[in-house]
Every structure is written in C-alpha cells, then in structure tokens.
Amino acid sequence: MNQKLEIIEHYFKLSDLASSDHQALNEIINLFSNDVVVEGANGVVADNTAKIASFFENFFKDNQELRHLCCISPNNDEYKTEWVVAGRKRNGKLFALHGFDQYQFSQQNKISFLKVEISK
C-alpha cells in the first residue's frame, strides 16, 4: 500500500480514539505539514500549526465518541476519501454523517491540504 493511503487510514483510526486519547490527538496533528490548509465542513479554515491544533482539540472535545468507515480513492497527487461516521456529541446527542475529504500531501508525505465536505 502506498504511504499516503496509509496516512489517511491512520488519520481515520486515530480520529476514533482522539476524543479520549491525548496521544492520538497529538499524532493526528503531527500528520499535517507546517504550511497546511484545512477547510472544515463547518466553514472553519486552519492554516498554521497552532490553528490546526486548536481546530482538532475543539473538534474532539465536542465529539466525545466517533466510529468511522472510509473508502480512499487515489488520483495522482490528490486523494479523495468517502466516509461515514457515527458519533456522540458532548451533550450526549447521537449523530451520523456521510461525507468526503480531499487531501494533498507535501514532499515529506505530510498532509498539506484537507477539505472536509458533508453530504446533504
């Protein structure tokens, strides 16, 4: 398997743990390059390491429990991933979502761009 596919799969596995595992949260943040741009489905754009850390800390604080399934489609230098997630919010409310991520990678195989879209 190519390293970029492994990074995306690892990202989703860590996402299932990061709400209750600080090390998993730190590992997610370390998957991203220093000059990354993340466009969240909620409209938040994070474009540096501090904003990425804050983005994921807030996300995993709000989402107390997550379970993802994903299917990755490589296409040259861009990778698109279809995903579904079931989860529990901090207030106890359950939810399920379906969406797509788009990834680009730096030469060091760090995620340099991530756009998250939720299907309507």
Side-chain angles (χ1 to χ4, degrees), residues 12-55:
F12 279 99
K13 287 177 183 169
L14 290 170
S15 293
D16 287 346
L17 303 172
S19 296
S20 60
D21 182 338
H22 195 69
Q23 182 176 340
L25 173 60
N26 287 333
E27 284 186 49
I28 287 174
I29 294 166
N30 287 328
L31 294 175
F32 292 87
S33 67
N34 291 335
D35 59 349
V36 65
V37 174
V38 173
E39 297 178 8
N42 58 0
V44 171
V45 175
D47 59 4
N48 64 47
T49 306
K51 288 180 183 177
I52 292 296
S54 177
F55 174 84

Side-chain angles (χ1 to χ4, degrees), residues 90-102:
R90 180 174 33 186
N91 64 9
K93 193 171 187 178
L94 299 176
F95 68 93
L97 297 170
H98 171 242
F100 297 89
D101 288 354
Q102 293 176 5

Side-chain angles (χ1 to χ4, degrees), residues 57-75:
E57 287 168 2
N58 290 329
F59 179 83
F60 291 113
K61 187 187 306 181
D62 187 43
N63 296 290
Q64 293 294 296
E65 189 176 352
L66 299 170
R67 297 288 182 267
H68 288 88
L69 293 174
C70 67
C71 181
I72 306 165
S73 301
N75 183 12

